[in-house]
């Protein structure tokens, strides 16, 4: 299965009424640190799109978690939301990312996915910033977005889903 492209992300941004333009860089933006260095912003302003699979009795449930680049997701909090043990939550494989979300890890955007209607959880620590930057569908593509736009475009829910300091 072929990955989707930044053109798909740009179309999704337009469909959500956002005027954000995807920017392309000569060097990779696949990690939060690389993205922040390319853009010249704080690490926390980078929106990491992390794909998880939650093993439920009826099958695997894909979940997208949008978190701040300077935070780590607490898989126990995902497990609690679904009433399962922590071992039932895992990071999606690269093949699952492409098949379900449409993009390879390091380029998964918050919008424009292959599968629609998936649960999206947005880390509340992103609310520290007025301007955020999210992956645009490839390892060197980024677009600007505000927390309000992120919530509106993804239909996501702001939740406390990151590890506490020192965990």
């Amino acid at each position: 299965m072929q990955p989707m492209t930044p053109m798909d992300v740009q179309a999704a941004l337009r469909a959500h009424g956002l005027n954000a333009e995807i920017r392309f860089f000569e060097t990779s933006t696949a990690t939060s640190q690389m993205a922040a260095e390319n853009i010249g912003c704080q690490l926390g302003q980078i929106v990491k799109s992390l794909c998880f699979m939650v093993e439920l009795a009826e099958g695997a449930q894909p979940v997208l978690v949008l978190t701040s680049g300077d935070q780590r997701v607490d898989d126990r909090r995902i497990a609690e939301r679904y009433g399962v043990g922590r071992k039932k939550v895992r990071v999606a494989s690269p093949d699952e990312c492409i098949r379900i979300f449409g993009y390879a890890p390091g380029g998964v955007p918050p919008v424009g996915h292959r599968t629609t209607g998936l649960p999206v959880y947005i880390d509340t620590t992103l609310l520290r910033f007025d301007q955020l930057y999210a992956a645009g569908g490839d390892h060197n593509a980024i677009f600007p977005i505000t927390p309000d736009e992120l919530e509106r475009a993804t239909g996501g829910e702001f939740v406390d889903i990151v590890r506490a300091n020192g965990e």
Side-chain angles (χ1 to χ4, degrees):
M1 184 169 281
Q2 289 295 317
M4 296 172 72
T5 70
M7 289 187 304
D8 296 303
V9 179
Q10 192 68 69
L13 292 170
R14 295 284 180 267
H16 289 290
L18 300 176
N19 293 321
E21 292 293 330
I22 295 176
R23 294 175 51 196
F24 294 91
F25 295 88
E26 294 292 321
T27 57
S28 179
T29 59
T31 69
S32 297
Q33 187 63 49
M34 291 172 170
E37 288 170 5
N38 273 295
I39 294 166
C41 69
Q42 293 180 50
L43 182 59
Q45 289 179 270
I46 301 300
V47 178
K48 294 191 291 191
S49 298
L50 303 174
C51 306
F52 288 91
M53 302 298 288
V54 180
E55 300 300 329
L56 303 172
E58 58 273 13
Q61 170 64 59
V63 174
L64 182 66
V65 176
L66 305 175
T67 189
S68 180
D70 62 0
Q71 301 295 311
R72 294 187 63 198
V73 171
D74 187 343
D75 54 2
R76 292 175 296 191
R77 294 185 182 190
I78 298 171
E80 288 169 7
R81 297 189 75 76
Y82 288 90
V84 299
R86 182 180 189 182
K87 291 183 179 181
K88 297 284 187 181
V89 177
R90 63 177 173 79
V91 174
S93 71
D95 286 344
E96 288 170 325
C97 285
I98 292 171
R99 181 172 46 82
I100 297 167
F101 297 92
Y103 306 89
V108 177
V111 297
H113 304 125
R114 180 169 278 139
T115 305
T116 59
L118 296 175
V120 177
Y121 300 113
I122 308 170
D123 166 18
T124 56
T125 67
L126 287 166
L127 293 170
R128 296 173 290 165
F129 304 99
D130 294 330
Q131 184 65 64
L132 304 170
Y133 299 91
D138 207 345
H139 69 91
N140 66 340
I142 297 281
F143 66 90
I145 192 164
T146 67
D148 287 344
E149 291 169 335
L150 188 64
E151 180 183 29
R152 190 173 69 246
T154 64
E157 173 186 357
F158 277 102
V159 296
D160 181 11
I161 203 153
V162 297
R163 293 181 183 179
N165 289 340
E167 282 188 60

